[in-house]
Amino acid sequence: MSVYFYGCITLDGYLADKHHGLDWLHQTGTTEETNYESFYQSMDITIMGKRTFQKIAKYDNPHTFYPTTQNYVFTHSRSLPQAGFLSVNCGVVEFVKQIPEDKNIWIVGGNSLLSPLLDQNMVDFLIIQIAPVLLGDGIPLFTQKEALKRFQLKEVKKYGQFAELVYRKQ
């Protein structure tokens, strides 16, 4: 099993603006400019929080966002209004530990799921695109407990206006 974070942040390290908005991202470029498709094809499972799911659920046909993966949403709701997404109400570390070893897991979106996994040294890859945007305030990517974590830089790529850094856990 490998756990991946794949996502885009601003130059100053934010996933979203202070209202959880992503206009800055949509105004900068599209997934067609990145390696998103090949990355997604290598994933078996997506894990996301309720806020990320709510953003997806606003679109027409949200089940088409992640059609070939098992999609889990961490929420207190017992069920979700969209087909293709399963509700999970437990700790993310506990949940990930029970996933079979042959699965690739994508942590989609927020730091509230990423941080506990980083705290437990369970994140194998960080694939971070950086957009040429400064927000000055917002939702940061990293909020894990204070502890030294080392990753090794494997690749640097350029996609349109995005720089992509690929790190592997040491």
Side-chain angles (χ1 to χ4, degrees):
M1 165 180 53
S2 290
V3 177
Y4 292 78
F5 171 82
Y6 177 95
C8 189
I9 62 172
T10 62
L11 280 171
D12 49 355
Y14 296 110
L15 283 167
D17 68 25
K18 62 184 174 183
H19 303 292
H20 298 276
L22 296 174
D23 288 345
W24 62 270
L25 176 59
H26 301 301
Q27 294 164 358
T28 306
T30 65
T31 58
E32 288 80 26
E33 296 177 67
T34 67
N35 70 340
Y36 172 81
E37 286 300 323
S38 63
F39 170 79
Y40 178 71
Q41 294 305 317
S42 67
M43 293 297 111
D44 302 298
I45 294 170
T46 68
I47 294 176
M48 66 191 75
K50 184 177 180 180
R51 282 197 176 118
T52 300
F53 171 74
Q54 287 172 329
K55 296 276 186 198
I56 293 167
K58 289 181 182 180
Y59 289 94
D60 291 335
N61 303 314
H63 63 279
T64 63
F65 271 72
Y66 307 113
T68 62
T69 49
Q70 295 175 312
N71 306 300
Y72 297 98
V73 179
F74 280 73
T75 177
H76 296 294
S77 301
R78 292 187 183 265
S79 64
L80 298 169
Q82 301 298 329
F85 295 88
L86 301 170
S87 174
V88 177
N89 187 0
C90 69
V92 68
V93 170
E94 169 189 333
F95 183 77
V96 168
K97 283 181 178 178
Q98 68 183 349
I99 294 174
E101 289 290 320
D102 64 338
K103 302 297 181 189
N104 285 329
I105 303 162
W106 175 18
I107 306 303
V108 180
N111 60 17
S112 62
L113 295 174
L114 182 61
S115 292
L117 295 169
L118 283 168
D119 288 338
Q120 296 298 313
N121 295 314
M122 294 174 69
V123 177
D124 300 294
F125 295 92
L126 296 169
I127 303 173
I128 301 170
Q129 285 108 25
I130 301 172
V133 175
L134 294 170
L135 289 178
D137 194 12
I139 311 303
L141 173 57
F142 298 111
T143 59
Q144 74 282 354
K145 293 178 183 173
E146 185 176 335
L148 180 64
K149 307 280 186 225
R150 292 210 182 265
F151 287 83
Q152 180 180 19
L153 180 63
K154 300 304 273 182
E155 290 182 68
V156 177
K157 300 176 186 174
K158 181 181 184 291
Y159 295 108
Q161 290 296 304
F162 301 103
E164 181 178 86
L165 306 173
V166 179
Y167 294 98
R168 182 183 182 104
K169 177 172 67 175
Q170 285 188 323

